[in-house]
């Protein structure tokens, strides 16, 4: 139960932004379903459209409204939905140009899927063991009270498993983003080389080169980074639910305090006590 919040979170604004984003991506997915493409390409586009439709309908149900009212869950799951939807859009933009099984767009599509999976696996490599989110920096726990100062998804990841990277990056704020950028950029170089190889062997037609190759070369670093971010967000959400479950089991209930402005706990208690009166 949320007892205090100084954050600017607004469930109505989030719902509106999600609907607007879904409408834009959904229009592209609808257009893709009318392309002259094999059944497997259209099936993937219809599947992507189904995910968007299901999530929009869910947000209009009572359960969806309740979900949006819970800040941590909403701020975790909605970005995951956005990243997954963008991933499906990039993959659709490549596979839709496929004409036959195992042609160049299909190969590019497969390579992009592997890139996203590698990003997920890389996230598991960087995961802290244990991935405790109550680090007394962003989240503090006092009996059945949880004070949240910042929702930081990357707090569940660490460079400790890559000590040779820790020294040059430990003073940088977004170290894991930088790692993802460099690895992803290297992947983009591989992708461009593979695309060029397919062109030289006359496998890639000029039409495919304009559409699929563009999304392919841009998609490799993007999907790799998306994979890391999705893993960190899912892990954060799992750790959050584990924290809530443990407190509820011990105390029977939990209280959430969103202290994004980092007020003193004494000041927050005074505000809560005055509200009771």
């Amino acid at each position: 139960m949320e007892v205090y919040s100084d954050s600017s979170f607004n469930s109505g604004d989030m719902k509106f932004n999600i609907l607007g984003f879904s409408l834009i991506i959904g229009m592209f997915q609808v257009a893709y379903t009318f392309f002259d493409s094999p059944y497997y390409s259209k099936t993937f586009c219809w599947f992507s459209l189904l995910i968007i439709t299901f999530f929009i309908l869910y947000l209009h149900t009572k359960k969806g409204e309740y979900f949006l009212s819970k800040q941590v869950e909403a701020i975790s799951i909605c970005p995951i939905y956005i990243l997954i939807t963008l991933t499906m859009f990039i993959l659709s933009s490549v596979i839709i140009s496929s004409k036959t099984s195992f042609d160049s767009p299909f190969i590019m599509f497969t390579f992009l899927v592997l890139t996203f999976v590698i990003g997920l696996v890389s996230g598991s490599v960087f995961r802290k063991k244990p991935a405790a989110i109550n680090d007394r920096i962003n989240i503090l726990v006092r009996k059945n009270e949880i004070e949240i100062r910042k929702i930081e998804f990357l707090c569940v990841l660490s460079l400790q498993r890559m000590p040779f990277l820790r020294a040059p990056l430990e003073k940088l704020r977004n170290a894991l983003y930088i790692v993802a950028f460099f690895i992803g950029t290297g992947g983009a170089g591989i992708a461009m080389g593979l695309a060029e190889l397919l062109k030289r062997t006359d496998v890639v037609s000029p039409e495919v080169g304009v559409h699929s190759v563009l999304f392919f070369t841009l998609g490799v670093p993007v999907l790799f980074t998306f994979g890391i971010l999705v893993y960190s967000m899912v892990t954060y959400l799992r750790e959050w639910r584990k924290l809530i479950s443990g407190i509820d089991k011990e105390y029977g209930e939990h209280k959430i305090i969103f202290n994004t402005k980092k007020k003193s706990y004494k000041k927050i208690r005074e505000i809560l006590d005055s509200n009771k009166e």
Side-chain angles (χ1 to χ4, degrees):
M1 178 179 65
E2 182 180 316
V3 296
Y4 174 84
S5 177
D6 61 3
S7 69
S8 58
F9 175 81
N10 186 298
S11 60
D13 290 342
M14 175 164 285
K15 182 177 180 180
F16 177 80
N17 293 333
I18 289 294
L19 292 178
F21 167 81
S22 300
L23 179 62
I24 294 173
I25 300 299
M27 291 174 61
F28 282 101
Q29 295 291 7
V30 170
Y32 284 160
T33 61
F34 290 97
F35 276 39
D36 182 19
S37 302
Y39 71 93
Y40 54 83
S41 299
K42 289 189 175 183
T43 299
F44 185 82
C45 294
W46 276 111
F47 178 69
S48 303
L49 187 60
L50 182 63
I51 293 177
I52 295 174
T53 304
F54 173 80
F55 196 75
I56 291 176
L57 293 176
Y58 173 73
L59 293 183
H60 285 83
T61 64
K62 290 184 178 180
K63 289 185 178 180
E65 294 288 346
Y66 177 70
F67 153 71
L68 286 176
S69 68
K70 302 170 71 174
Q71 288 196 45
V72 176
E73 283 80 355
I75 295 175
S76 300
I77 294 179
C78 287
I80 293 174
Y81 163 75
I82 291 174
L83 293 179
I84 293 297
T85 303
L86 287 174
T87 298
M88 301 289 279
F89 168 67
I90 293 173
L91 293 174
S92 297
S93 299
V94 174
I95 194 63
I96 200 64
S97 298
S98 177
K99 300 301 181 184
T100 59
S101 301
F102 298 103
D103 59 0
S104 56
F106 188 89
I107 295 173
M108 293 177 183
F109 170 83
T110 305
F111 191 86
L112 286 178
V113 172
L114 290 175
T115 300
F116 181 75
V117 173
I118 291 173
L120 292 173
V121 174
S122 299
S124 65
V125 171
F126 287 114
R127 180 185 178 182
K128 289 181 181 178
K129 302 277 185 188
I133 60 176
N134 53 329
D135 53 9
R136 302 194 63 79
I137 298 176
N138 299 312
I139 294 181
L140 291 83
V141 179
R142 302 180 185 91
K143 294 184 179 180
N144 68 331
E145 286 186 350
I146 306 173
E147 179 184 341
I148 302 175
R149 296 180 175 179
K150 182 181 180 182
I151 297 177
E152 179 58 69
F153 298 116
L154 293 182
C155 72
V156 301
L157 305 180
S158 172
L159 291 172
Q160 290 181 352
R161 291 196 169 193
M162 298 287 184
F164 59 91
L165 292 176
R166 188 174 185 83
L169 297 176
E170 61 182 357
K171 295 183 179 180
L172 298 176
R173 180 180 178 184
N174 294 322
L176 289 169
Y177 283 117
I178 294 173
V179 172
F181 171 79
F182 280 112
I183 297 178
T185 303
I190 297 174
M192 293 178 67
L194 179 57
E196 184 63 26
L197 176 63
L198 293 173
K199 283 185 177 181
R200 290 180 179 275
T201 55
D202 296 327
V203 176
V204 177
S205 65
E207 296 177 355
V208 174
V210 173
H211 192 264
S212 290
V213 175
L214 174 63
F215 279 96
F216 174 62
T217 53
L218 294 177
V220 170
V222 170
L223 295 193
F224 176 82
T225 306
F226 280 5
I228 292 180
L229 295 179
V230 167
Y231 181 87
S232 64
M233 291 175 184
V234 171
T235 303
Y236 186 96
L237 184 60
R238 290 179 59 188
E239 290 296 320
W240 170 256
R241 289 181 172 176
K242 185 187 299 183
L243 176 63
I244 294 296
S245 176
I247 293 176
D248 286 343
K249 185 177 181 180
E250 183 174 357
Y251 296 97
E253 65 173 359
H254 67 273
K255 299 178 181 179
I256 301 176
I257 297 173
F258 283 92
N259 183 21
T260 59
K261 296 181 180 179
K262 299 182 180 179
K263 298 185 181 73
S264 67
Y265 182 69
K266 181 179 179 181
K267 180 65 175 178
I268 294 175
R269 290 307 318 174
E270 291 177 355
I271 296 174
L272 291 176
D273 292 338
S274 63
N275 290 337
K276 289 181 181 179
E277 298 175 357

